[in-house]
């Protein structure tokens, strides 16, 4: 049997998080280079990077899919780089930076144990960095920061560091001082060991000690004292000794800092220039020194699907196997890859596993690990590791894989509902066939991308998180699946719901000689509070997001065999909507009475009766339209505040506050999505291109009547 070739405490599962353009791709690329798995450097502008292997990502220069890449790292101060015992296993989980893909960032936060946050040394903290920082806070992800691009004109370490303190966390700690800046940026002073380092050799791969420049000696001493104090504050005993004049050792400082970083109490800040090959290796040492191994993070919790009891699993090979699928990705060579993180136990290629989300057994064919430039076959995966499975058919993102004898369902990754949709029509018959397959594969890969067909027009409707999201899907369809299609304008994905309770009867009775049709139901509807998780409440109630079905038929007035058909009829009617053809949500439907006929009753008759009854009931329950409301943040120089506020209020927006952001102001508002189309252009012309905005889905709200009337009229 294969053995673990490195201990679990030497594993680091981490992500590289950044505002778009901060240099995440370049940094990741350097990481792969230095970790030795990549020997050729491809610049971003040539699109030759490893994490961006999808052709289209290259063109756009943004990373839109998250792949996990594995490599090894040995600390820079380790003399024998070949010594296996000194190697750390890095699994780098890629996270996208673009606003339409924050879901992907949130999803990856679930499976990583720590993160490197990359900042642009000119711009400092940017709006998207704040959003990502908040997601990391929510997921309790320990972080080290990297202020990148210190070689750029206008780069300023102090200002960027200050923006982290002001806008992200006051417990960020300066670990280094840069030597020089802009084109004179030469190296860094490590404030812990008080040594200066420069970068020599190919791609700066040799980290060499250089003298601390005279003019920086006093600053370095001051900032070191500040850093030491911050660390010492974390430990009472150390603090007392320090106050008594006893200077802690380097080892003590590092150990205490490690604990504080893992507890999210301190955030070490490094600096450098990925492009000019400076400083990245120090950040990798920091990953080793301060980011947690799978043993340092709390054990994962889940539910035993048989008993409903909570189960805890530790990162140990000895515990039963459980893993979470966090990404399905198309692979040009092997078809589809299912990336998973093993939380406990081990699994071997060729064995069977149990998908507790679907309740199905699946054979795990091959297991691979993606390296920078190749796919490595893996025989066995151990607790705390990340790998990808080839050939899992029914396992999708967010599913739990486990040992059938020791079942567990891990908390599902929650995905927001798509808020934008558009119609697509294949150009030819051949395109149509390919399109079906393409859409299926793409939606398998991406849980925030949905495909539906309009029941009336039979057109295909695709929905996603934003305009760019859908644009990319259409683009991939063309490129990867060779599908040519006409694409409609993006539309808001409205919803419908009911606002009061109601009852109605549905009858479908046909007596036309011979065998007739007989279905008869009485339904009671109630509005439901929106919830976010799938839940089975009891045997007779199935509740999931947006819908609850209660079967309270007694004494067999409708035989059990027809009940599923009733539920199906109701669900189908909900899909069709009642006000303007948008999906109905957040409804509790109780089947409380009805009747049947010994000969004429059938499933289809009950389905039709239920659908008719449901529509009558929904019409009587004061149905309304719902629209997505977005959380919007606009950052602009103060002199444009009047115009920005005016533009948001003019969009039915509710302004929630204005904050200072260095020289700029940030306006936070909630605005209906339908009003936000084209805002990029409007904002640009209003502010001479000096403003930026971020937007993410917040919640659904009832559309005001006058607006709703226009939407309804438009659908007729
Ligand atoms: P991402 O969008 O965060 O993945 O950023 P990229 O790595 O694609 O970098 C965006 C741009 O910044 C590219 O043109 C890079 O060449 C450039 N860039 C990245 N790192 C540095 C750096 O350290 N210094 C300078 N001057 N430019 C950089």
């Amino acid at each position: 049997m294969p053995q673990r070739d490195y201990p679990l405490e030497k594993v680091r599962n981490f992500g590289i998080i950044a505002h778009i353009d901060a240099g995440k791709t370049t940094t990741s690329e350097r990481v792969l280079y230095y970790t030795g798995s990549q020997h050729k450097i491809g610049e971003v502008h040539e699109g030759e990077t490893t994490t961006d292997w999808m052709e289209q990502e290259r063109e756009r220069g943004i990373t839109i899919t998250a792949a996990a890449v594995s490599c090894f790292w040995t600390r820079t101060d380790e003399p024998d780089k070949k010594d296996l015992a000194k190697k750390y296993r890095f699994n780098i989980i890629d996270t996208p930076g673009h606003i339409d893909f924050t879901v992907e960032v949130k999803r990856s936060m679930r499976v990583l144990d720590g993160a490197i946050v990359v900042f642009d040394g000119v711009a400092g903290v940017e709006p998207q960095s704040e959003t990502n920082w908040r997601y990391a806070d929510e997921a309790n992800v320990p972080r080290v920061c990297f202020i990148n691009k210190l070689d750029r004109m206008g780069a300023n370490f102090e200002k960027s560091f200050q923006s982290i303190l002001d806008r992200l966390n006051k417990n960020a700690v300066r670990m280094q001082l840069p030597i020089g800046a802009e084109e004179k940026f030469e190296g860094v002073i490590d404030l812990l060991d008080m040594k200066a380092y420069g970068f020599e050799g190919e791609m700066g791969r040799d980290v060499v000690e250089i003298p601390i420049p005279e003019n920086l000696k006093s600053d370095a001493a001051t900032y070191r004292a500040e850093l030491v104090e911050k660390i010492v504050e974390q430990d009472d005993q150390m603090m007392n000794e320090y106050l008594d004049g006893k200077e802690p050792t380097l080892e003590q400082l590092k150990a205490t800092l490690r604990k504080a970083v893992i507890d999210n109490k301190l955030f070490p800040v490094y600096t450098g220039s990925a492009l000019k090959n400076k400083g990245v290796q120090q950040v990798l040492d920091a990953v080793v020194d301060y980011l947690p191994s799978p043993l340092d993070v709390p054990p994962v919790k889940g539910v035993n699907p048989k008993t409903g009891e909570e189960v805890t699993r530790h990162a140990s090979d000895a515990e039963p196997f459980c893993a979470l699928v966090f990404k399905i990705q198309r692979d040009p060579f092997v078809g589809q890859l299912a990336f998973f993180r093993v939380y406990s136990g081990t699994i071997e290629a060729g064995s069977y596993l149990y998908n507790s989300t679907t309740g199905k057994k699946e054979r795990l064919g091959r297991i691979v690990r993606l390296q920078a430039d190749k796919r490595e076959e893996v025989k066995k995966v151990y607790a705390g590791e990340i790998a990808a499975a080839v050939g899992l058919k029914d396992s999708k993102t967010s599913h739990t894989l486990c040992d059938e004898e020791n079942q567990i369902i891990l908390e599902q990754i929650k995905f927001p509902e798509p808020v934008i949709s558009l119609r697509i029509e294949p150009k030819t018959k051949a395109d149509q066939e390919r399109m079906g397959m393409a859409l299926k594969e793409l939606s398998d890969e991406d849980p925030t991308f949905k495909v539906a067909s309009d029941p009336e027009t039979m057109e295909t409707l695709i929905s996603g998180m934003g305009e760019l999201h859908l644009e990319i899907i259409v683009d991939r369809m063309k490129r990867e699946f060779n599908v040519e299609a006409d694409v409609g304008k993006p539309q808001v994905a409205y919803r419908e719901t009911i606002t009061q309770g109601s009852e109605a009867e549905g009858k479908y009775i046909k007596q036309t000689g011979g065998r007739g049709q007989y279905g008869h139901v009485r339904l009671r509807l109630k509005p439901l509070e929106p919830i976010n998780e799938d839940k089975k409440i009891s045997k007779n109630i199935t509740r999931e997001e947006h819908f609850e079905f209660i079967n309270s038929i007694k004494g067999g007035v409708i035989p059990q065999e027809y009940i599923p058909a009733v539920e199906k009829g109701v669900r189908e009617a909900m899909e069709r909507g009642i006000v303007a053809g948008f999906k109905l949500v957040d409804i509790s439907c109780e089947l409380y009475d009805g009747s049947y006929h010994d000969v004429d009753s059938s499933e289809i008759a009950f389905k039709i009766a239920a659908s008719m009854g449901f529509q009558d009931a929904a019409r009587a329950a004061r149905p309304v339209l719902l629209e997505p409301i977005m959380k919007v943040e606009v950052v602009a120089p103060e002199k444009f505040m009047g115009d920005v506020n005016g533009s948001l209020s003019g969009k039915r927006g509710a302004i929630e506050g204005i904050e200072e952001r260095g020289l700029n102001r940030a306006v936070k508002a909630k605005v209906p999505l339908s009003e936000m189309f084209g805002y990029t252009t409007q904002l640009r012309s209003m502010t001479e291109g000096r403003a930026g905005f971020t937007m993410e889905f917040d919640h659904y709200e009832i559309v005001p009547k006058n607006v709703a009337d226009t939407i309804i009229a438009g659908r007729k």
Side-chain angles (χ1 to χ4, degrees), residues 12-18 22-24 26-32 34-35 71-77 88 90 92 114-119 142-150 157 164 173-177 185 187-190 197 199 204-205 207 254 257-258 261 267-275 277-292:
R12 298 289 180 274
N13 298 318
F14 66 95
I16 302 178
I17 306 174
K24 195 194 67 183
T26 313
T27 307
S28 311
E29 235 252 339
R30 295 306 185 263
V31 170
L32 295 176
Y34 295 127
T35 52
C71 54
F72 284 108
W73 176 244
T74 310
R75 285 190 46 104
T76 46
D77 56 8
Y88 283 79
F90 281 2
I92 307 170
I116 301 174
V117 189
V118 182
F119 300 90
R143 278 148 273 181
V144 298
C145 303
F146 179 55
I147 299 178
N148 186 33
K149 300 199 185 182
L150 223 65
F157 174 74
I164 297 177
V173 286
R174 188 190 333 238
M175 301 297 292
Q176 295 173 331
L177 275 192
F185 173 59
V188 291
I189 302 172
D190 184 315
Y197 296 98
F199 307 92
R205 71 186 316 160
V207 179
K254 282 175 113 173
L257 179 57
R258 174 173 178 80
V261 173
F267 302 90
V269 181
Y270 295 80
T271 192
S273 161
L275 189 69
N277 312 310
K278 292 184 170 82
V280 174
Q281 287 123 305
Q282 266 78 4
V283 181
L284 296 182
D285 284 352
V287 167
V288 166
D289 289 343
Y290 307 118
L291 291 185

Side-chain angles (χ1 to χ4, degrees), residues 613-648:
F614 177 85
Q615 289 181 54
D616 282 348
R619 258 181 231 113
R622 303 232 335 257
V624 289
L625 272 189
L626 297 173
E627 65 179 340
I629 306 291
M630 311 302 282
K631 202 188 303 172
V632 176
E633 187 179 304
V634 185
V635 178
E638 179 165 23
K639 66 170 180 175
F640 299 115
M641 276 302 105
D643 290 339
V644 168
N645 283 336
S647 72
L648 293 173

Side-chain angles (χ1 to χ4, degrees), residues 19-26 44 61 148-149 151-152 273-275:
H19 186 283
I20 187 147
D21 242 27
K24 195 194 67 183
T25 312
T26 313
V44 175
N148 186 33
K149 300 199 185 182
D151 62 301
R152 258 185 76 192
S273 161
L275 189 69

Side-chain angles (χ1 to χ4, degrees), residues 1 83 93 135 144 157 187 275 350 445 456 464 514 585 598 621 637 654 709:
M1 252 225 298
D83 184 352
I93 296 133
Y135 294 154
V144 298
F157 174 74
L275 189 69
E445 239 178 72
E456 270 147 42
V585 296
D598 271 337
D709 288 346

